[in-house]
Amino acid sequence: MLVKIFASAVYGINATTITIEVNAIQGIKYYLVGLPDNAVKESLQRIESALKVNNYRMPGQKVIINLAPADIKKEGSSYDLPIALGILAASGQIHAPEIEKYVIMGELSLDGKIQPIKGALPIAIQSRNEGFKGLILPKQNAREAAVVNDIDVYGAETLSEVIDFVEQRKPLEKISVNLEEEFYSNYNNYQIDFADVKGQENVKRALEIAAAGGHNIILIGPPGAGKTMLAKRIPTILPPLTLEEALETTKIHSVSGLLDKNSSLMTVRPFRSPHHTISDVALVGGGTFPQPGEISLAHNGVLFLDELPEFKRTVLEVMRQPLEDRLVTISRAKFSVEYPASFMLVASMNPCPCGYYNHPEKECVCSAGVRQKYLSRISGPLLDRIDIHLEVVPVPFDKLSGYKQQNETSEQIRERVIKARKIQEKRYSEIPGVHCNAQINSKQIQKFSVLDDASMMLLKNAMNRLGLSARAYDRILKVSRTIADLEGSENIKPEHVAEAIQYRSLDREGWAG
C-alpha cells in the first residue's frame, strides 16, 4: 500500500516541503532513498524501538521509503515521526484518512517520545504558504510555529498521541499565540540600562550618535575603562524591533536551534559577543551542513567584538564583504544558501599591548613600534568600514562615588534615537535597502550630506592639521549627517562637522606614537 506524508527541510532560513512516500510490498528488507544523510538513515532503528514500545511492529514486508524531491540532501533526525507514521499506514496498522493535509515533523526517542527540532518557524511559514491545513510538531516547538497565522499548529509529546490524532480517536492540543500581544508585551524587556553607567558622558553621546545612524563603532581604552559595560547597553537605545524584523530575526535563531522552548518570538534586538578564538566559519556561517554564523545571529542587532586585535586576521577579513552587502552567501558544489547579516558592529580594544597608552595616571611601557605593530593587526579596509573611533578613559573616583547624581536612562536616549531614525527613513524612502545614514554609498553621501562653505573649510583644515586620512572624509560626512538629524537640523552645520571630526582617532597620523 502506497502512502504519502508531508514533512519539511530547512535550507538557509527558508523551508522546502518534502514528500515522504512509503510503499509496503511483497518481499523483505527496508530501503530508504532520496539522498538521506546518516542521521536520517539511522531513523529506522529509532522507529523500530518506538513502535515496539507502543505495541506496534515493523512490517515483515519489503518497505521502500522515498524522500522527494530525491536530488535534495535530507539532513537531521526530524523525519523520524513522519516516516514512522508512513510505515504504520502503508502496512495497514493505522487508518489515517486526512494525514496528507498536515506537515509532520519530529525526532523519536526509543520509547516513542518526541524530541524538539530546528527551524519550526520557517517550516510553519512554508506550510501555510502551500495551503496545508495544519502542522504537527514536538510540543517544545509549537509556540514558536504558532506565531504564523492561518494554519493550525498542534504540539505532541509522544508517538501514541499523534497516532490517536491522525486516526481521529483523540484530538491534540491546538496551540495558539496572539502575535501582537506576544510582541508588545516583551519588546522592551532589558535588564540593563545606561542609567547604571557613571560618568563617560562623551562616550554615551558617541554611542547615541552610532545608534541613531546605525554606524559601526570602535572603543579604544585601557582595561577597566568600561568599554564592555557600555557596549552591552547599546541594544537598549536602538529603536525597538518592528514585527517584520522580529520574525526575520526569529527565523535565523530558529534554524540554529537557539530559541528558548517557552518563547515564540524574539522581541529584543540580539547582542552577540563571540570570543576572540572564534573561527572564520563560526563567525560568518557555513560548515559541512551550513548553519548561520555569529554575524547572522546578530542580524538586526549588535555584534560586539571585544579585544579586536586579538582576533585572527583571517576572521576579521571575512567580515569585510558582509559589512558592505549586509548578506552572506555560503556556496557549495551543488547548492548555495543566503543568510542576512545586517548588524551594527561594535568593537573594543586596548591602545597597546600593555593597555596604558594615553592613560591619565599609569605609564605605558610599550615603544612606538610595538604600539604601531599592535594597531596594524586591524587592516585598513576593515577600519574603513568603521565610522566612529572613540577613545575611552577611566572614570575618576569622584564620579564613581557620586551615586546621588541622576543619569539619563536608556529610554530617554532611545526616544531621541527613534526620532532621528524616522527622519532618515523618510529621507531614504525611495532608496531600496537603505534605512539609515550608515547604509548610504559615496554617491548618496554627496547628495544628502552637502556642506556649506564654513563647514567645508573646517573639514579641510582638520584633515590637513590632524593628518586625517582620505578614508576619513566620507565617514565624517555620514556622522555629521546623523548629528544634524539628532538635532532636527535639515542642514549640516560647522558644529556638527567639528563633533564628527573628534570621532576619527585611529585615522590621525602618528596617533600611536
Side-chain angles (χ1 to χ4, degrees):
M1 180 179 175
L2 177 62
V3 173
K4 289 186 179 182
I5 292 181
F6 294 96
S8 195
V10 177
Y11 297 97
I13 59 169
N14 298 310
T16 301
T17 299
I18 301 296
T19 304
I20 298 177
E21 301 171 317
V22 184
N23 197 8
I25 57 178
Q26 186 175 1
I28 57 172
K29 206 172 179 182
Y30 304 120
Y31 295 91
L32 182 56
V33 297
L35 280 185
D37 72 350
N38 286 334
V40 182
K41 291 176 183 177
E42 292 169 354
S43 65
L44 291 175
Q45 282 72 42
R46 292 190 293 271
I47 291 168
E48 183 174 14
S49 174
L51 293 183
K52 190 170 183 179
V53 170
N54 287 276
N55 300 317
Y56 293 93
R57 58 178 174 79
M58 289 292 275
Q61 298 170 276
K62 183 178 181 179
V63 177
I64 304 171
I65 304 161
N66 179 42
L67 309 177
D71 60 340
I72 296 177
K73 191 170 183 64
K74 319 303 183 305
E75 302 165 357
S77 54
S78 55
Y79 300 101
D80 292 3
L81 180 59
I83 291 175
L85 294 173
I87 290 172
L88 291 176
S91 60
Q93 297 181 66
I94 65 171
H95 177 63
E98 294 192 347
I99 200 168
E100 292 186 12
K101 295 181 180 179
Y102 297 89
V103 170
I104 304 171
M105 296 293 286
E107 176 188 336
L108 287 177
S109 295
L110 296 184
D111 61 356
K113 288 184 179 177
I114 303 175
Q115 301 300 320
I117 63 170
K118 294 180 180 180
L121 181 57
I123 289 171
I125 293 171
Q126 183 65 20
S127 302
R128 186 218 26 212
N129 293 345
E130 295 196 10
F132 284 95
K133 179 181 178 181
L135 183 62
I136 301 173
L137 290 170
K139 199 162 189 176
Q140 297 96 318
N141 300 111
R143 282 185 59 81
E144 176 188 334
V147 301
V148 180
N149 299 322
D150 303 324
I151 188 170
D152 297 334
V153 177
Y154 300 94
E157 293 182 317
T158 64
L159 173 62
S160 58
E161 287 180 3
V162 180
I163 292 173
D164 288 341
F165 176 75
V166 297
E167 288 199 303
Q168 301 179 346
R169 291 200 305 261
K170 188 177 177 181
L172 276 173
E173 180 186 359
K174 185 178 175 181
I175 308 297
S176 59
V177 172
N178 186 322
L179 183 57
E180 290 195 2
E181 183 181 316
E182 183 82 9
F183 178 67
Y184 289 110
S185 62
N186 297 309
Y187 82 107
N188 196 22
N189 186 21
Y190 291 103
Q191 303 300 318
I192 53 179
D193 197 284
F194 262 100
D196 306 330
V197 182
K198 296 178 180 179
Q200 303 290 19
E201 302 306 325
N202 64 319
V203 184
K204 292 179 186 176
R205 168 66 176 172
L207 294 179
E208 179 182 338
I209 294 168
H215 301 290
N216 300 323
I217 183 170
I218 184 168
L219 306 175
I220 312 125
K227 302 186 295 295
T228 303
M229 182 185 186
L230 287 157
K232 286 182 176 178
R233 283 158 174 74
I234 291 175
T236 68
I237 62 172
L238 288 170
L241 285 169
T242 64
L243 196 52
E244 183 182 349
E245 286 176 333
L247 283 168
E248 189 175 31
T249 306
T250 304
K251 280 174 71 175
I252 299 169
H253 286 252
S254 171
V255 168
S256 302
L258 297 178
L259 281 185
D260 187 84
K261 66 179 181 180
N262 297 317
S263 65
S264 56
L265 191 69
M266 289 192 65
T267 54
V268 296
R269 293 190 180 273
F271 179 88
R272 305 294 299 184
S273 180
H275 193 260
H276 64 258
T277 56
I278 191 172
S279 68
D280 48 357
V281 171
L283 187 70
V284 299
T288 307
F289 307 120
Q291 287 288 304
E294 288 291 335
I295 62 174
S296 295
L297 294 172
H299 180 62
N300 291 324
V302 174
L303 177 69
F304 176 50
L305 301 183
D306 200 3
E307 302 300 340
L308 189 66
E310 302 300 331
F311 283 78
K312 287 184 289 187
R313 181 87 174 206
T314 54
V315 171
L316 296 179
E317 294 308 298
V318 294
M319 278 201 308
R320 284 160 52 180
Q321 181 263 338
L323 279 169
E324 202 73 30
D325 299 341
R326 300 182 183 271
L327 187 74
V328 178
T329 303
I330 309 296
S331 298
R332 294 291 178 266
K334 294 185 178 179
F335 66 93
S336 64
V337 295
E338 287 186 347
Y339 296 115
S342 180
F343 59 92
M344 178 179 167
L345 174 64
V346 180
S348 72
M349 60 176 285
N350 293 332
C352 63
C354 80
Y356 296 111
Y357 179 65
N358 276 350
H359 193 283
E361 297 172 359
K362 298 184 180 181
E363 187 176 347
C364 174
V365 297
C366 305
S367 66
V370 169
R371 288 194 294 267
Q372 195 61 52
K373 184 179 179 181
Y374 185 73
L375 290 176
S376 65
R377 294 184 188 180
I378 309 168
S379 69
L382 180 61
L383 277 177
D384 191 31
R385 289 161 172 81
I386 300 177
D387 297 343
I388 298 176
H389 308 160
L390 186 69
E391 294 180 67
V392 183
V393 296
V395 180
F397 177 77
D398 58 341
K399 287 193 176 182
L400 283 175
S401 58
Y403 61 91
K404 293 183 180 179
Q405 183 180 352
Q406 188 68 33
N407 295 318
E408 262 194 323
T409 65
S410 291
E411 189 175 350
Q412 291 172 310
I413 301 172
R414 178 188 260 190
E415 287 176 3
R416 297 196 293 269
V417 169
I418 292 173
K419 189 176 178 181
R421 283 286 183 106
K422 286 180 177 176
I423 293 172
Q424 294 166 46
E425 286 176 7
K426 185 178 179 181
R427 180 188 300 131
Y428 306 127
S429 58
E430 296 182 2
I431 305 175
V434 176
H435 307 288
C436 58
N437 291 330
Q439 297 172 340
I440 58 178
N441 58 35
S442 297
K443 186 177 180 180
Q444 292 157 353
I445 290 173
Q446 301 303 321
K447 179 179 179 181
F448 296 110
S449 301
V450 179
L451 300 184
D452 56 25
D453 292 340
S455 299
M456 185 61 76
M457 185 59 66
L458 175 64
L459 179 55
K460 180 181 178 181
N461 290 338
M463 293 191 71
N464 290 333
R465 291 183 62 186
L466 299 177
L468 295 176
S469 67
R471 67 170 175 258
Y473 178 77
D474 282 355
R475 307 297 163 185
I476 290 172
L477 290 181
K478 282 186 182 183
V479 176
S480 301
R481 179 69 270 171
T482 300
I483 296 169
D485 291 339
L486 278 169
E487 288 192 4
S489 173
E490 188 174 341
N491 299 318
I492 298 175
K493 299 176 181 177
E495 56 265 31
H496 303 149
V497 176
E499 185 176 359
I501 291 168
Q502 298 177 47
Y503 303 134
R504 297 303 301 180
S505 297
L506 294 182
D507 278 325
R508 297 175 193 165
E509 290 181 2
W511 181 83

